[in-house]
Amino acid sequence: MKIDLTCPVELWQYTTPTPEHPECGFVLNNLSEKVVVSLQTTLVCYGEAAQLLFRQVERVQGLSAGAGERFSIALLPSQWENVKNIELVIEKVWFDDATLWRRGSAPLTEYEDNALPPGRKLDQLRFVAGPDAVGYPQVQAGVWVCVCGRANDLHSDRCCRCERKRDTTFATCAKENVEQLIAVHEQKLSDVARAAREDAGRLNEARERTQQKASRKRRLARNLTILIVCLAAAVAAALLWGLPALRYARAGTLLSSGAYDDAHTLYGMLGDYRDAETLMEECDYQKAGSLAASLWESNLAEATTLYQSLGGYKDSAQQYLKTLYDLANTQLAAEEFDAAAASFQTLGDYQDSAKLLLETQYRQAQKLYDSASYIAASILFEGLGDYSDSAQRLLDCHYAIGKDALNKQDYATAATELAAAGDTQDAVELLKQTNYQLAEQKLAAGDYEAAGNLYKLAGDYKDAALKASDCLYEIARQAMDKQDYAKAAELFQSISPYLDSETLAWECIYQEAKIDVNAGDLRKAIGLLVTIPKHEQGAELLKDCRYQLAISDAQAGDASEAANLFILLGDYKDSAEQLKKVRYQLAETSFQAGDYAAAAPLYQRLGKYKDSADKWKQSLYAVAVAAQDAKDYRTAIEDFSALGKYEDSEKRSEAATLALALDLKTSGNMDEAIALLKSLPANAAAKQQLSEITLGEADKARAAGDLEKAAKLYLALGDYQNAKDSYNACQYQLAAQKMQAGDYRTAYGMFLALKDYQDAAAQAQQCEYEAYGRYATPARAAYQSGDWKTVVDTLENFDESGLPAAYSDLAGIYEDACYRYAEQLYDQGKVYEALPYYQRIPDYRDVSDRKLQRRCYLILGEWESEDGQFNAVFRSDGTCTIFGVPLYFAVDGYGLNTGATPETMALTHKLTVITKDTLTLR
């Protein structure tokens, strides 16, 4: 199903045309808060298989459907033949306030119908939710479907059709809750039926006892004489020796048969005979158990009393709690909330009594709320705190009380209650309306100030904002005329920018400040004047007040406060000069007190004023010395560096730098320590420390296997301690690693640089052979003898770059040998055996320009004509495929010899044109 959630009118029911009534009747529901006066609809009719037959647009006027009302319209279809289904689309809705709702272009929202089929479940649901219920509430994608069947927006907390609250609907009408409530109801009906059966049974028993009694009377009449004689004898015997025993036995029989009251009476007559007193308690105990088992409220109440009276007899105390718990639940089910609450309260923390006490009070509050006893309900909900949704229900109560009070024009109560309701429903808007009405009352009574404040609270309701400003403006003007400037300013500021309220507020503050100045309270005046910087006279008065106060503070010895004021004054009068004086005074005070840290920045700020420059150096020097003594070397370095050559500042800065570097070295921060030590190139101790650190880092790197880093550090140390030997050892080990890895050239250079260290010379000689000699000796001999193939094979993978002087002759002989050997093969007619050797040296001499431009090489590759009629492939192994025929080929000048075998080749084509991209055969 589909629905437009924004439409203020929904289709409720419809009737199809009949021969007697050819119109379609539609029952609609006005979901808005306005009166609907007109509609524009589209009637869509469908045939078999949902085939669209026609659309019919109609305008319905003359309506007057109030908010929430249902109303009917009738439409006459242009045709009705073959119509199987209809759909009514609301296009436009006109309201009585001249506003219009128009259906937008947004897609309709799809949802599934929640209607239950007729049957027991639907009947049970309607028993709980009411006769308009059609199905269980559901949350679907994009909507929630109410129990009445209406689809609502997910963000809506109330059904727009039936006005049910979403939370309450899901709480009471969900399938599980309905089944639970029905089960409770059916249990009540079962209990009533059982009670009726028990009553009928008791009546039958009474009738039977009556009949038996009559029969016994007849038998008694016959045996009267014998009975009298026996009775006389029994009485005599009882009087003589057996009356207590007979009563005891009779009481036991009565107890066993369940006649607890009669047994209790007989045991009571026996006094202290045997265990009669204990058996009296047993009678009450068993009677209580029998009553409790019936689960009737009256029986449970009597059983509770009996168990309570038995005190510590057997498990009476525990049975009392259990029975009272059952009684409380029975009272709760019967909605006897006061009694149930008293019972659960007595039970304390027995089982879940504390929770059920809250539930009892919650249900009682809900019942009071449903019966419009909102005040009583609010008291209970408030006492429940955060139980369930009690907090929200309390707000609902405040809302209901407030709305009722508003309707009764009890605006004071309405304001209090609606304010307590927060944003429940439309409480905020109703509160605005209430405050507006209160304001109207105050205005009528001439209390403009109260009226103005209330109009402000009314916010945007009607003309509240304008009336608030009018009232408060008038009160402010009156206060200003009475020279109550504080109140006037406050009122003017509260309504700014209404009329000239902002300007008048400034003027009031200015006048108030003038009064404070005349009274000598300059600080208070300044506090007021700083709030009106745009008031020209106020700005001038502010400067004058600050100046006077600064002079006063300076004279009173409060130089710090005076300095702050002179800073704010800038170049006003002689403030700049006065500022220097108070700053110098502050600096001198700190200097004399030995507080050089405070004095130094003050003297520095004064520049060349009096002796400030010298005093700044003295103060900063004292601060630096103190920092150095306290081992705050960073501060000392910074301050001594700022002093330059003052006294021994340079020497002390160097000492502090060295000390800081040693501290960093000790803490393991080597990078910063090294940087500081390097900044002292002329300091012998720093050099020594730097060398020690470098040696230590080198030893660590060597131990960790990072020989390259270690060697670099050892080399930087020069002749320091054993650094040179350690460097040679690292280099020797690195060279051995290169040699083992086959990098003989690098190893050769490293061993050669070590000269006479261990067997470095012998190792260098071996590496030299492996790197150069192994290739040079056979290559040179073959080159001398013209064995070009051996030269090429020997130097195939030989690296000619960076050759030592002794092997410089090897540079270029590989390319020359390739060239010569390729020419040799070509001259022998082995043109394609020569090709790979030309291809190894494409940039050598004329290989690219001439040798590889020979026709026998240009023909190689795959050729195809533009029309695709000719294709041929020529390969460097001397074979080819022409028109799909495999052949052998050879290029002889401009001739192309082909054949099935090399021996049978003959001239078959002429190479008229052949380039890198073009081939012409004849």
Side-chain angles (χ1 to χ4, degrees):
M1 301 182 71
K2 297 182 179 180
I3 188 171
D4 186 351
L5 293 174
T6 66
C7 184
V9 174
E10 70 166 349
L11 176 62
W12 183 263
Q13 296 173 342
Y14 71 89
T15 59
T16 57
T18 63
E20 295 77 19
H21 301 284
E23 295 180 329
C24 287
F26 299 91
V27 180
L28 305 172
N29 188 16
N30 180 8
L31 302 176
S32 71
E33 298 295 328
K34 304 176 183 179
V35 177
V36 175
V37 297
S38 181
L39 294 175
Q40 179 175 315
T41 64
T42 299
L43 178 64
V44 186
C45 294
Y46 300 92
E48 294 288 349
Q51 178 186 4
L52 177 63
L53 298 179
F54 66 94
R55 297 176 183 269
Q56 181 175 330
V57 179
E58 294 282 350
R59 170 78 181 270
V60 182
Q61 297 181 330
L63 301 175
S64 181
E69 287 185 1
R70 295 181 188 172
F71 59 101
S72 301
I73 63 172
L75 301 178
L76 181 63
S78 58
Q79 69 178 67
W80 189 249
E81 187 177 358
N82 300 325
V83 173
K84 302 299 182 183
N85 195 10
I86 63 173
E87 179 182 359
L88 186 70
V89 180
I90 309 298
E91 302 289 351
K92 297 179 183 178
V93 180
W94 286 266
F95 300 101
D96 64 341
D97 61 354
T99 58
L100 168 68
W101 175 87
R102 186 192 307 272
R103 186 165 72 94
S105 59
L108 299 179
T109 302
E110 293 193 11
Y111 73 100
E112 294 181 3
D113 188 11
N114 67 334
L116 292 172
R120 176 175 172 78
K121 290 190 178 295
L122 181 58
D123 294 338
Q124 290 177 344
L125 176 62
R126 288 178 173 172
F127 176 83
V128 174
D132 65 331
V134 299
Y136 301 116
Q138 297 177 356
V139 176
Q140 301 180 10
V143 299
W144 69 273
V145 184
C146 183
V147 69
C148 69
R150 166 68 187 190
N152 299 275
D153 188 89
L154 276 178
H155 299 93
S156 173
D157 64 345
R158 188 177 294 274
C159 178
C160 61
R161 175 189 292 170
C162 66
E163 292 295 312
R164 287 183 176 92
K165 291 196 67 174
R166 173 178 174 172
D167 294 340
T168 303
T169 301
F170 278 89
T172 59
C173 300
K175 182 179 180 181
E176 298 78 11
N177 294 338
V178 170
E179 291 176 349
Q180 184 177 1
L181 290 171
I182 292 299
V184 172
H185 178 70
E186 290 176 348
Q187 181 62 43
K188 287 183 179 180
L189 295 178
S190 177
D191 291 343
V192 172
R194 184 182 65 183
R197 288 194 301 272
E198 290 175 354
D199 288 340
R202 283 195 292 271
L203 290 173
N204 289 332
E205 289 176 0
R207 284 193 295 271
E208 289 176 1
R209 284 197 297 270
T210 301
Q211 293 173 359
Q212 292 173 359
K213 188 174 181 180
S215 177
R216 284 197 299 271
K217 284 182 180 181
R218 289 192 295 271
R219 288 196 300 271
L220 286 174
R222 291 195 303 266
N223 300 315
L224 183 57
T225 303
I226 297 171
L227 180 60
I228 292 172
V229 173
C230 293
L231 181 60
V235 169
L239 290 173
L240 291 173
W241 54 266
L243 184 58
L246 288 173
R247 285 180 175 174
Y248 185 87
R250 179 59 180 164
T253 301
L254 292 170
L255 176 60
S256 299
S257 64
Y260 306 115
D261 292 337
D262 294 340
H264 186 279
T265 301
L266 283 177
Y267 282 129
M269 295 171 61
L270 290 171
D272 58 356
Y273 178 77
R274 294 175 64 177
D275 58 346
E277 292 182 355
T278 301
L279 290 173
M280 288 174 64
E281 292 182 321
E282 180 64 22
C283 290
D284 290 343
Y285 181 82
Q286 291 192 25
K287 180 181 180 182
S290 176
L291 292 168
S294 71
L295 294 179
W296 286 94
E297 182 178 346
S298 58
N299 290 349
L300 288 170
E302 186 178 352
T304 302
T305 304
L306 287 171
Y307 279 131
Q308 189 175 24
S309 66
L310 288 169
Y313 181 74
K314 290 187 177 181
D315 62 342
S316 295
Q318 184 63 29
Q319 290 297 330
Y320 164 73
L321 294 175
K322 180 179 180 302
T323 307
L324 182 60
Y325 181 80
D326 292 338
L327 174 61
N329 278 288
T330 302
Q331 292 165 337
L332 177 58
E335 295 188 350
E336 297 173 8
F337 298 118
D338 289 334
S343 298
F344 283 126
Q345 195 164 16
T346 302
L347 285 165
D349 59 355
Y350 179 76
Q351 292 189 25
D352 59 344
S353 297
K355 180 179 179 182
L356 288 174
L357 174 60
L358 295 175
E359 179 63 19
T360 300
Q361 294 170 334
Y362 179 85
R363 292 190 190 179
Q364 185 176 16
Q366 180 61 46
K367 187 172 183 180
L368 290 168
Y369 181 87
D370 292 341
S371 62
S373 298
Y374 303 120
I375 297 177
S378 69
I379 295 173
L380 288 175
F381 280 129
E382 186 173 12
L384 286 168
D386 58 355
Y387 178 75
S388 187
D389 62 342
S390 297
Q392 181 56 50
R393 301 317 309 276
L394 177 60
L395 296 177
D396 293 339
C397 289
H398 286 306
Y399 174 80
I401 296 169
K403 188 173 183 180
D404 183 61
L406 178 60
N407 293 334
K408 296 177 180 178
Q409 297 184 1
D410 181 3
Y411 301 121
T413 301
T416 302
E417 295 298 326
L418 290 171
D423 58 355
T424 302
Q425 297 186 44
D426 58 342
V428 174
E429 294 303 317
L430 292 180
L431 180 58
K432 292 178 182 178
Q433 180 181 347
T434 302
N435 285 323
Y436 185 88
Q437 296 299 334
L438 283 171
E440 293 282 273
Q441 291 179 350
K442 294 294 184 182
L443 181 62
D447 190 350
Y448 295 103
E449 185 171 359
N453 291 326
L454 287 167
Y455 280 129
K456 287 184 68 176
L457 292 175
D460 57 357
Y461 183 77
K462 292 187 176 179
D463 57 348
L466 180 60
K467 285 189 173 182
S469 298
D470 288 342
C471 292
L472 295 178
Y473 185 85
E474 182 61 30
I475 297 299
R477 288 304 302 257
Q478 292 176 9
M480 187 176 181
D481 293 340
K482 295 176 182 178
Q483 297 186 358
D484 188 355
Y485 298 116
K487 181 177 181 179
E490 182 181 355
L491 290 170
F492 280 130
Q493 288 173 330
S494 70
I495 60 173
S496 179
Y498 179 73
L499 298 178
D500 58 345
S501 56
E502 185 177 43
T503 303
L504 291 177
W506 294 348
E507 183 62 26
C508 290
I509 293 172
Y510 172 70
Q511 295 298 333
E512 188 179 0
K514 286 177 63 178
I515 293 172
D516 291 332
V517 171
N518 294 332
D521 193 347
L522 295 175
R523 294 188 190 278
K524 185 178 179 182
I526 291 172
L528 292 170
L529 293 170
V530 294
T531 65
I532 53 170
K534 294 183 179 180
H535 194 282
E536 295 182 0
Q537 293 173 297
E540 288 301 315
L541 182 58
L542 174 61
K543 292 179 181 179
D544 187 61
C545 288
R546 281 175 170 166
Y547 184 82
Q548 293 182 42
L549 185 58
I551 296 295
S552 176
D553 288 341
Q555 292 173 351
D558 191 353
S560 178
E561 187 64 27
N564 292 333
L565 290 169
F566 282 129
I567 291 172
L568 292 173
L569 286 167
D571 59 353
Y572 181 73
K573 294 184 177 179
D574 60 344
S575 296
E577 188 62 29
Q578 293 291 345
L579 177 59
K580 291 181 180 180
K581 289 181 180 180
V582 294
R583 278 180 172 170
Y584 187 80
Q585 181 182 347
L586 286 170
E588 287 289 283
T589 301
S590 298
F591 188 85
Q592 297 301 325
D595 188 358
Y596 301 110
L602 291 170
Y603 283 128
Q604 185 180 26
R605 196 176 290 116
L606 285 166
K608 297 181 179 180
Y609 183 77
K610 293 185 177 180
D611 57 349
S612 296
D614 185 59
K615 289 272 182 78
W616 169 70
K617 292 181 179 180
Q618 293 180 44
S619 300
L620 188 60
Y621 182 83
V623 170
V625 170
Q628 188 173 27
D629 293 341
K631 297 184 178 180
D632 183 3
Y633 299 119
R634 294 186 187 278
T635 301
I637 294 169
E638 182 180 353
D639 291 344
F640 282 130
S641 298
L643 287 167
K645 297 182 178 181
Y646 181 76
E647 295 191 0
D648 60 346
S649 294
E650 289 183 327
K651 182 178 179 182
R652 283 184 172 274
S653 177
E654 186 175 315
T657 302
L658 179 60
L660 178 58
L662 293 176
D663 282 354
L664 293 170
K665 173 187 173 184
T666 304
S667 64
N669 189 350
M670 292 299 179
D671 291 339
E672 189 176 359
I674 292 172
L676 289 171
L677 292 171
K678 286 182 177 179
S679 69
L680 304 173
N683 189 291
K687 289 182 179 179
Q688 177 67 22
Q689 289 295 329
L690 188 59
S691 297
E692 287 183 11
I693 293 174
T694 305
L695 182 61
E697 291 294 306
D699 290 342
K700 286 181 182 178
R702 184 179 179 184
D706 191 352
L707 298 174
E708 292 184 359
K709 179 180 178 181
K712 183 178 179 181
L713 293 172
Y714 285 133
L715 182 63
L717 288 169
D719 295 330
Y720 181 74
Q721 293 187 11
N722 62 341
K724 189 171 184 179
D725 289 339
S726 297
Y727 169 75
N728 289 336
C730 290
Q731 287 294 95
Y732 184 88
Q733 191 174 350
L734 284 169
Q737 291 175 356
K738 295 292 185 181
M739 182 178 178
Q740 187 176 1
D743 187 0
Y744 296 109
R745 289 196 179 190
T746 303
Y748 168 67
M750 295 177 72
F751 280 128
L752 192 65
L754 290 170
K755 298 181 180 178
D756 57 354
Y757 180 77
Q758 294 185 11
D759 63 342
Q763 296 290 349
Q765 187 175 2
Q766 183 178 351
C767 289
E768 180 186 11
Y769 173 75
E770 293 294 339
Y772 305 107
R774 179 183 296 278
Y775 302 95
T777 300
R780 285 169 176 166
Y783 191 83
Q784 291 296 328
S785 63
D787 185 359
W788 315 120
K789 178 70 166 61
T790 299
V791 175
V792 171
D793 293 342
T794 301
L795 299 179
E796 178 73 29
N797 297 312
F798 184 72
D799 183 6
E800 294 183 355
S801 63
L803 293 173
Y807 299 97
S808 60
D809 62 308
L810 296 179
I813 68 172
Y814 173 77
E815 289 84 355
D816 188 59
C818 284
Y819 186 85
R820 291 174 182 271
Y821 187 54
E823 288 289 276
Q824 185 180 78
L825 290 171
Y826 187 84
D827 292 342
Q828 294 173 1
K830 302 176 180 179
V831 294
Y832 294 118
E833 291 182 32
L835 179 61
Y837 295 96
Y838 284 129
Q839 289 174 335
R840 295 184 191 188
I841 53 171
D843 299 328
Y844 186 74
R845 292 174 64 175
D846 60 348
V847 171
S848 294
D849 298 336
R850 295 187 59 188
K851 305 303 182 184
L852 292 178
Q853 300 302 315
R854 292 166 173 162
R855 285 182 288 278
C856 59
Y857 296 142
L858 291 175
I859 199 173
L860 294 176
E862 186 173 353
W863 302 89
E864 185 176 5
S865 61
E866 291 183 358
D867 59 4
Q869 296 297 317
F870 170 78
N871 59 77
V873 180
F874 296 93
R875 307 176 187 89
S876 60
D877 62 354
T879 64
C880 67
T881 302
I882 301 177
F883 288 109
V885 179
L887 299 167
Y888 285 88
F889 79 96
V891 176
D892 183 9
Y894 286 95
L896 176 63
N897 299 329
T898 63
T901 64
E903 293 77 13
T904 60
M905 286 191 299
L907 178 65
T908 57
H909 300 79
K910 284 288 186 177
L911 299 175
T912 306
V913 177
I914 183 169
T915 66
K916 181 179 178 181
D917 303 314
T918 305
L919 172 65
T920 302
L921 291 179
R922 292 181 58 195

